[in-house]
Amino acid sequence: RQHSIIWRSILIEQIKKKIIRKRYTGRKKSAESGNDYAQEALARIYETGRLVPKDLYQAKAWYEKAAFSGSDSAILKMVDIYFDGIGCEKDPITFYPWLLIAETKIHPQSPTGQTIAERKKKMQEQLSPSQIEKAEEKFRVLAEKVKK
């Protein structure tokens, strides 16, 4: 009897793994075809280590693809990624352009819009004029890549 319980447990684990692989494969195919929702879901999978081993570099790459596809929440995530250094170095020169992109997409009176404005003000105080100029040039390049 105990032997059959062990085999049943093994079988259940194998079925779970198969379902997980199928879910991951489906999301990855959809993400690769340009679905921003799937790109963001795949990024979260890599960020959390759910379904696959945790990989912050891959998470960042998929969030970026979703952001370029026009996902507002992925754009906000890119702000956090460069602010916190998730899957990359903390980089104010790259953080600031994503912040500017988010500013163009998020209503300024919303709580998120107010947070963006506060972060922008702090960054303007911390960056030199030449750094701001460099970041604004980067913003123009990134903004052209982001779908409206």
Side-chain angles (χ1 to χ4, degrees):
R1 176 157 165 87
Q2 189 174 8
H3 189 65
S4 70
I5 292 172
I6 292 170
W7 279 108
R8 192 174 316 144
S9 298
I10 291 170
L11 181 61
I12 289 170
E13 284 304 310
Q14 288 175 339
I15 291 169
K16 283 181 183 177
K17 285 180 182 179
K18 189 175 182 178
I19 291 168
I20 287 169
R21 272 193 305 272
K22 190 173 183 178
R23 228 186 263 164
Y24 168 77
T25 303
R27 285 194 179 126
K28 188 165 186 192
K29 283 181 184 178
S30 188
E32 288 170 343
S33 71
N35 179 311
D36 64 331
Y37 177 78
Q39 289 168 337
E40 206 169 336
L42 191 58
R44 276 191 301 279
I45 288 169
Y46 281 114
E47 182 180 19
T48 61
R50 221 182 49 219
L51 308 181
V52 297
K54 189 173 185 174
D55 186 337
L56 296 178
Y57 178 79
Q58 282 293 322
K60 176 191 156 291
W62 283 106
Y63 278 123
E64 186 172 65
K65 288 178 186 187
F68 285 142
S69 293
S71 166
D72 290 353
S73 56
I75 289 168
L76 291 171
K77 190 63 180 184
M78 291 304 295
V79 171
D80 292 339
I81 283 171
Y82 283 105
F83 183 77
D84 296 328
I86 300 170
C88 62
E89 293 289 321
K90 285 186 176 186
D91 179 6
I93 304 297
T94 306
F95 160 77
Y96 192 72
W98 281 110
L99 189 65
L100 295 176
I101 290 169
E103 183 180 50
T104 65
K105 308 240 331 148
I106 307 300
H107 191 281
Q109 298 305 317
S110 71
T112 303
Q114 291 172 2
T115 301
I116 290 168
E118 289 167 11
R119 280 184 166 183
K120 180 182 176 186
K121 185 178 178 185
K122 283 181 186 175
M123 286 308 297
Q124 287 172 332
E125 293 169 357
Q126 293 175 7
L127 297 175
S128 70
S130 66
Q131 288 176 312
I132 290 174
E133 186 178 315
K134 187 175 181 181
E136 286 175 348
E137 177 57 36
K138 205 169 200 174
F139 160 72
R140 286 186 282 283
V141 171
L142 284 175
E144 287 187 21
K145 292 181 180 181
V146 175
K147 290 183 182 175
K148 304 292 181 220

